[in-house]
Amino acid sequence: MKKIEIIPLASKKIRRRKVALQWVEETINHPDQVVEGYGGRKVRQKKYIVNGKEMLLRVVVHEEKERLVVITAYLTSQIKRYWR
């Protein structure tokens, strides 16, 4: 398994958006879906229930040989928009 590294800006945004780090790691390691992102990045996606509502956690990662670098992560209710 590759090492997960969260860049400082992503870490700040994840905290501000109140996304649990456990969810971020779970989404990276066991995504429901992986889609193409911009610039060759991958977006790992997983559905969660938040306050009784289905939400999609999107974790944008830059995949390197030895590690996965988290660029950002956020929850969205717009599942139809991103689900492939």
Side-chain angles (χ1 to χ4, degrees):
M1 194 175 296
K2 291 183 180 181
K3 180 176 175 260
I4 298 170
E5 183 180 309
I6 302 174
I7 63 169
L9 182 61
S11 191
K12 187 175 171 182
K13 287 181 176 182
I14 289 165
R15 274 196 310 274
R16 192 174 62 219
R17 294 169 176 157
K18 294 178 173 55
V19 176
L21 279 177
Q22 180 185 339
W23 282 7
V24 173
E25 288 180 17
E26 197 175 284
T27 301
I28 290 169
N29 293 322
H30 307 286
D32 291 341
Q33 192 176 71
V34 179
V35 297
E36 290 293 321
Y38 294 108
R41 293 177 175 157
K42 300 281 187 214
V43 183
R44 294 173 183 233
Q45 307 187 132
K46 191 169 186 71
K47 293 178 185 176
Y48 288 96
I49 302 297
V50 180
N51 299 327
K53 185 174 183 187
E54 190 175 50
M55 300 287 281
L56 183 66
L57 178 58
R58 305 188 82 228
V59 181
V60 179
V61 294
H62 175 74
E63 296 187 15
E64 295 180 357
K65 198 174 190 177
E66 301 291 322
R67 63 190 182 152
L68 295 171
V69 181
V70 176
I71 305 303
T72 194
Y74 57 93
L75 283 162
T76 180
S77 59
Q78 298 179 39
I79 297 169
K80 283 188 175 80
R81 178 178 175 182
Y82 297 110
W83 202 257
R84 300 285 172 255

